[in-house]
Amino acid sequence: KLEAAGYGVIHDLTLHDEPNFNTSYSSSNASIREYMEKYPSIKVVLDLHRDTLISSNGTKYRPVVDINGTRSAQVMFLMGSGNDTYRHENWRENLSFALNIQKVAAQKYPGLMRPILLQSSRFNQHLCTGAVLVEVGSCGNTHQEALSAAGYFSDCLVEVLGRLKG
């Protein structure tokens, strides 16, 4: 949908959490920096995940919403504000970007977005002010529910990017 709207897109499908989950953000940091050096026009970085919502008894939770008769996973932003060790001076700009998308989603697709989770980390969002971590559903959602959510989310992102551009 982004490409159809005229935006250049780079899909990096590297599994940065292998072989070691603990180094996933330093590994993805290196990839993002390489892309940003090669393509200095990059303004938005989407770090796509699926949430892990599993109870202590093994139940997998499945955040869903009905949108126009279609069952869709819900989407959530995980945003970082930095901390004493990992500074993130521009976190408010990243949060503002996420809030703009969240607002459009609330108007277009009520219930699509879960509340934003703000943590004292940075999730590589310090690399540009258009960087967000997007949780598309959870491990309990079906593939089709996640695809529906990604499509609805993309609609909202395209609208926000259009407003920022114009």
Side-chain angles (χ1 to χ4, degrees):
K1 287 191 176 190
L2 290 168
E3 290 171 326
Y7 296 100
V9 175
I10 299 168
H11 290 114
D12 182 343
L13 302 177
T14 306
L15 296 176
H16 290 285
D17 58 353
E18 293 181 1
N20 184 347
F21 176 78
N22 293 324
T23 60
S24 58
Y25 282 102
S26 59
S27 173
S28 59
N29 182 300
S31 292
I32 295 166
R33 286 182 187 275
E34 283 179 33
Y35 284 120
M36 292 181 77
E37 282 181 32
K38 187 173 182 179
Y39 306 102
S41 63
I42 290 175
K43 301 287 187 246
V44 174
V45 175
L46 302 174
D47 185 3
L48 298 176
H49 294 245
R50 67 176 181 159
D51 206 352
T52 301
L53 298 173
I54 303 175
S55 72
S56 59
N57 69 6
T59 301
K60 292 181 180 180
Y61 292 98
R62 183 174 162 214
V64 295
V65 61
D66 183 278
I67 298 176
N68 302 323
T70 300
R71 291 190 60 82
S72 170
Q74 289 182 303
V75 177
M76 181 185 77
F77 286 115
L78 176 55
M79 302 301 298
S81 61
N83 56 46
D84 290 340
T85 304
Y86 298 105
R87 308 297 299 163
H88 182 8
E89 304 302 328
N90 297 317
W91 70 270
R92 287 175 183 83
E93 286 86 348
N94 296 83
L95 181 60
S96 177
F97 179 60
L99 286 168
N100 282 323
I101 299 168
Q102 189 106 354
K103 182 179 179 181
V104 169
Q107 294 164 349
K108 289 177 78 97
Y109 306 116
L112 175 66
M113 303 297 295
R114 293 167 49 202
I116 293 174
L117 180 57
L118 182 64
Q119 292 190 347
S120 61
S121 188
R122 60 184 187 184
F123 309 109
N124 289 329
Q125 294 165 5
H126 64 292
L127 297 175
C128 79
T129 56
V132 291
L133 191 158
V134 184
E135 300 275 6
V136 181
S138 79
C139 57
N141 288 103
T142 66
H143 185 248
Q144 187 55 52
E145 290 167 345
L147 288 175
S148 294
Y152 295 132
F153 176 82
S154 297
D155 289 341
C156 300
L157 177 59
V158 165
E159 186 170 325
V160 168
L161 293 175
R163 289 178 186 177
L164 294 174
K165 187 167 71 172

